[in-house]
């Protein structure tokens, strides 16, 4: 298992994209997004692409309307079918902070 910070704790009062993560041989994992503050409003989505040159696309059914400080999580599996993921935050109003981490369990081959 590894834990990767996608968004360091920072202001949620602006639009923001997380660092991209290469799913590689991901077996399973999750992406958590945490907000603090008051009256934070915006849209949170998980985005994906298959090559570094491709445009980012919204993962189907991943958009979440945010209307208050809260915690959110997406579960990832190896059958996701795309290579790279990132979190996209589209801020509307309010003040506070945002953080995001990914916990990944990758396929691991050990010696014979």
């Amino acid at each position: 298992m590894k834990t990767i910070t996608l968004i360091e704790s920072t202001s949620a009062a602006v639009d923001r994209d997380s660092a991209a993560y290469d799913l590689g041989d991901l077996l399973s994992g999750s992406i958590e997004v945490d907000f603090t503050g008051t009256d934070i409003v915006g849209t949170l989505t998980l985005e994906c692409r298959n090559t570094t040159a491709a445009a980012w696309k919204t993962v189907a059914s991943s958009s979440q309307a945010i209307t208050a400080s809260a915690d959110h999580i997406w579960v990832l599996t190896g059958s996701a079918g795309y290579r790279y993921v990132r979190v996209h935050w589209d801020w509307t109003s309010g003040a506070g902070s945002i953080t995001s981490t990914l916990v990944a369990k990758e396929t691991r081959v050990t010696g014979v």
Side-chain angles (χ1 to χ4, degrees):
M1 290 271 234
K2 38 178 169 172
T3 301
I4 298 94
T5 300
L6 298 177
I7 301 174
E8 297 278 346
S9 182
T10 190
S11 174
V14 295
D15 293 352
R16 187 166 310 282
D17 292 316
S18 76
Y21 183 75
D22 183 345
L23 294 175
D25 292 328
L26 182 78
L27 181 61
S28 65
S30 63
I31 296 176
E32 181 175 25
V33 182
D34 299 312
F35 292 94
T36 60
T38 56
D39 301 324
I40 295 174
V41 177
T43 304
L44 187 63
T45 56
L46 187 62
E47 295 183 329
C48 66
R49 67 183 181 188
N50 289 328
T51 68
T52 56
W56 288 98
K57 288 109 179 133
T58 299
V59 173
S61 302
S62 73
S63 293
Q64 300 177 35
I66 307 301
T67 58
S69 298
D71 302 332
H72 304 275
I73 197 160
W74 289 287
V75 176
L76 305 172
T77 65
S79 61
Y82 36 81
R83 179 79 187 257
Y84 302 95
V85 294
R86 75 175 182 184
V87 173
H88 174 74
W89 166 241
D90 186 16
W91 175 77
T92 303
S93 65
S97 64
I98 182 174
T99 60
S100 181
T101 55
L102 181 145
V103 174
K105 182 177 183 181
E106 295 183 328
T107 304
R108 193 162 127 186
V109 178
T110 57
V112 192

